[in-house]
Amino acid sequence: MSSSASSANKDTATKLTVVMLWLLLGVFVLYPLCRLFAMTFWVDGNFTFENLRPFLDNWYDRRSAINSILLGCSVGVAGTALGFVFAFVTTRLNLPTWLKFALSAITILPLISPPFTSSIALTLLLGPNGMVLQFFGLDNFNFYGFWGTFISETLTFFPVAFMTISTILARIDPNLEDAAYSLGASSSEVFRTVTLPLAAPGIANAFLLVFSCSLADFATPQVLGGHSFPVLPTQAYLQITGMYDFKGGAALSFMLLIPALVVYALQHYWVSKKSYVTVSGKAGGKSSIKGPGIALTSLMASIVAVVVAFIIAIYAVILIGSLVKVWGVNNTITFDNYNYVFTHGMKAIKDTLIIACIGTPLGGLLAVLVGYVTTRLKIRGHKTLETVSLLNYTLPGTVVGIAYIIAFNDKPIVLTGTVYILIAAYLFRYSSAGIRNVIAALTQIDPSIEEASRSLGAGSTRTFVSITIPLVLPAILAGMKYLFIHSMTAISATIFLVSVNWTLITTRILECMTELQFAQACAFSVILILLVFAASGAMTLLAKVLCRTGDHIGA
């Protein structure tokens, strides 16, 4: 430990900050998980697996577990392949800058939309009275089940793979491919033997991320899965809300936790590998990027064009669906659905905005404190602190939601029915992006800058406020934007925590879907998308004003 870190550790403000962080993480991360495990494995003062036995013996629950893994693997493969195609087109083909920007913007659109967007649109297109079915006269087509859930989740989560793989592909040195060309390799051979192997770590990491997203998804299977295709998140939700069986819900969430932890371990293994170096300190001329050949380029461009058209069609359907009386039955244009949103749904809009606006700055503060303590102060157990701060994000949202409802439903800490449990659920789950951003930013900043401040007599608090925070402000704002978007659109964790006193727009959309009020669900979705876009634009503008370095916020 450096002398500056040791002296800072002795500072009273530093000690109070560390104690406060451990207290908060202990209460809102470790304590709920401990209560979850206790309810699952602790019966009458003894450790037992009896609570798991009924679900392991039940064929329907075993089928749910198999379906969850099958769906996750299928969406992982399809989403990663689609993400790779989009990433390759936007980073390795010679397209106009405006076209690359447009493709990236359309690709990211599903990530900042409500989780039901694609489900609603696909239901209106392929469900009962669907536009496509009516056009082709297909009356007996059943869209619900595996295929509907698979298509919807693939469209929703492939942008995760796109963002992961595009970063890797953009950093591949074209000179490596030129060397293969100079040895007589064809375009397809270079693509197969050079580009793909160099992108392998990013592809593997993208698969694991998409698999995790699918495994934890509650919204899509709830709407499109039906009884014919049960999955663990929906089964756990029905166990608690339908049967009021907290022990059963805890047991099912533990079954969901096992593949999630395996995936996290594999992801950590791949991310930590350092065997595919393409960026070194050696300077040299940089050649232009060459495509993989006419045939492969045409195929990729065609796939991108079809998917982009489908995404645009989905959002067009949502907009049109919000303006008709009854989809497929009475297509008269009306604004009654928006009138319904701003009357019956106004409370949900206000509650969602209040929760997001309170949680977002708190998330920024938490991110910078955790990042600073774990990166700069190097206190004892700083790695453990970092791991615990990111733990809620690595777990499926259903597990986190069940853990919170078990932990805070009775003494010693009662938070159910209050706004605090919703804020805490979002704060300690989605501030992880900000924490990672701050840690990455601090590792790029020379500690001597802060040491110079302390050598001139400034205390650790003043140095932190006047030096550290301005330097990592772009990272903080990026994390705040991520937290705000998910506070507006996420549902898997907080579906268990809403109450009569506090509700969310996403839960109102789910209610409309289950009651077959598709037009009202579309109107809620349009309003939510507009709110998220407006807030994202405002935060991006704020970042440009506050960050004179020109850094901007990413999604």
Side-chain angles (χ1 to χ4, degrees), residues 17-18 20-26 28-29 358-374 385-386 388-390 392 404 423-436 438-439 442 464 469 476 479-480 483:
T17 300
V18 173
M20 180 192 68
L21 287 176
W22 271 119
L23 180 63
L24 290 173
L25 294 174
F28 293 108
V29 178
I358 292 175
T360 298
L362 291 178
L365 178 61
L366 178 66
V368 72
L369 290 177
V370 171
Y372 185 77
V373 168
T374 57
L385 180 66
E386 179 183 343
V388 172
S389 69
L390 300 175
N392 270 7
Y404 267 52
I423 294 174
Y426 284 128
L427 176 62
F428 291 94
R429 178 166 170 76
Y430 295 113
S431 59
S432 58
I435 293 172
R436 288 175 175 175
V438 171
I439 290 175
L442 285 173
F464 175 74
I469 289 182
I476 298 172
M480 290 173 63
L483 175 59

Side-chain angles (χ1 to χ4, degrees), residues 157-464:
F157 299 129
F158 91 87
V160 176
F162 163 75
M163 290 189 297
T164 304
I165 299 173
S166 60
T167 303
I168 300 295
L169 290 177
R171 295 177 65 85
I172 295 178
D173 190 348
N175 290 332
L176 298 173
E177 296 167 317
D178 266 359
Y181 280 118
S182 65
L183 293 175
S186 64
S187 298
S188 59
E189 287 176 333
V190 172
F191 176 77
R192 188 180 68 255
T193 61
V194 178
T195 309
L196 276 180
L198 289 175
I203 294 173
N205 191 29
F207 170 80
L208 295 174
L209 287 172
V210 176
F211 176 87
S212 299
C213 291
S214 174
L215 188 69
D217 185 26
F218 161 81
T220 306
Q222 177 70 10
V223 174
L224 298 178
H227 296 293
S228 63
F229 192 76
V231 292
L232 285 176
T234 56
Q235 286 300 104
Y237 170 76
L238 295 174
Q239 199 72 27
I240 289 181
T241 60
M243 302 181 182
Y244 302 99
D245 181 7
F246 285 91
K247 289 186 178 181
L252 284 172
S253 66
F254 176 77
M255 293 170 64
L256 183 65
L257 190 61
I258 295 174
L261 291 177
V262 171
V263 166
Y264 174 73
L266 289 173
Q267 179 185 342
H268 182 74
Y269 168 76
W270 274 99
V271 170
S272 63
K273 288 176 70 69
K274 304 291 183 182
S275 55
Y276 292 84
V277 178
T278 64
V279 180
S280 66
K282 297 180 180 180
K286 203 167 188 177
S287 61
S288 60
I289 299 173
K290 298 179 178 62
I294 296 177
L296 199 55
T297 299
S298 301
L299 176 63
M300 289 186 175
S302 300
I303 293 174
V304 168
V306 171
V307 174
V308 166
F310 196 52
I311 293 175
I312 294 174
I314 283 177
Y315 285 89
V317 166
I318 293 293
L319 179 60
I320 297 171
S322 69
L323 295 172
V324 300
K325 286 191 174 182
V326 181
W327 181 270
V329 177
N330 185 352
N331 293 325
T332 305
I333 300 297
T334 178
F335 290 97
D336 291 345
N337 301 316
Y338 288 98
N339 182 55
Y340 176 88
V341 169
F342 289 115
T343 52
H344 296 84
M346 199 62 199
K347 177 176 172 20
I349 295 175
K350 290 180 179 178
D351 288 351
T352 304
L353 287 172
I354 289 172
I355 292 168
C357 291
I358 292 175
T360 298
L362 291 178
L365 178 61
L366 178 66
V368 72
L369 290 177
V370 171
Y372 185 77
V373 168
T374 57
T375 306
R376 282 292 188 260
L377 301 186
K378 300 289 186 182
I379 60 169
R380 182 179 299 176
H382 66 278
K383 284 293 184 183
T384 304
L385 180 66
E386 179 183 343
T387 301
V388 172
S389 69
L390 300 175
L391 186 58
N392 270 7
Y393 181 73
T394 63
L395 302 177
T398 307
V399 174
V400 176
I402 293 175
Y404 267 52
I405 197 66
I406 291 173
F408 302 122
N409 198 43
D410 54 20
K411 295 181 179 180
I413 306 175
V414 180
L415 295 177
T416 51
T418 68
V419 68
Y420 306 110
I421 192 171
L422 291 165
I423 294 174
Y426 284 128
L427 176 62
F428 291 94
R429 178 166 170 76
Y430 295 113
S431 59
S432 58
I435 293 172
R436 288 175 175 175
N437 287 345
V438 171
I439 290 175
L442 285 173
T443 57
Q444 296 176 325
I445 298 172
D446 193 338
S448 62
I449 299 176
E450 294 152 306
E451 290 173 1
S453 173
R454 286 190 285 268
S455 68
L456 293 175
S460 60
T461 303
R462 185 175 180 183
T463 300
F464 175 74

Side-chain angles (χ1 to χ4, degrees), residues 74-148:
S74 302
V75 173
V77 171
T80 301
L82 205 55
F84 178 84
V85 170
F86 270 76
F88 193 91
V89 167
T90 55
T91 60
R92 312 295 293 179
L93 297 186
N94 294 320
L95 300 178
T97 303
W98 67 267
L99 183 56
K100 291 184 178 182
F101 176 80
L103 288 176
S104 299
I106 294 173
T107 305
I108 298 300
L109 192 58
L111 281 184
I112 60 174
S113 303
F116 304 102
T117 302
S118 59
S119 302
I120 297 172
L122 291 173
T123 300
L124 296 179
L125 288 172
L126 300 172
N129 295 319
M131 181 188 299
V132 175
L133 299 190
Q134 288 185 345
F135 181 79
F136 289 103
L138 301 175
D139 297 329
N140 298 322
F141 182 79
N142 184 12
F143 172 70
Y144 298 101
F146 170 79
W147 287 109

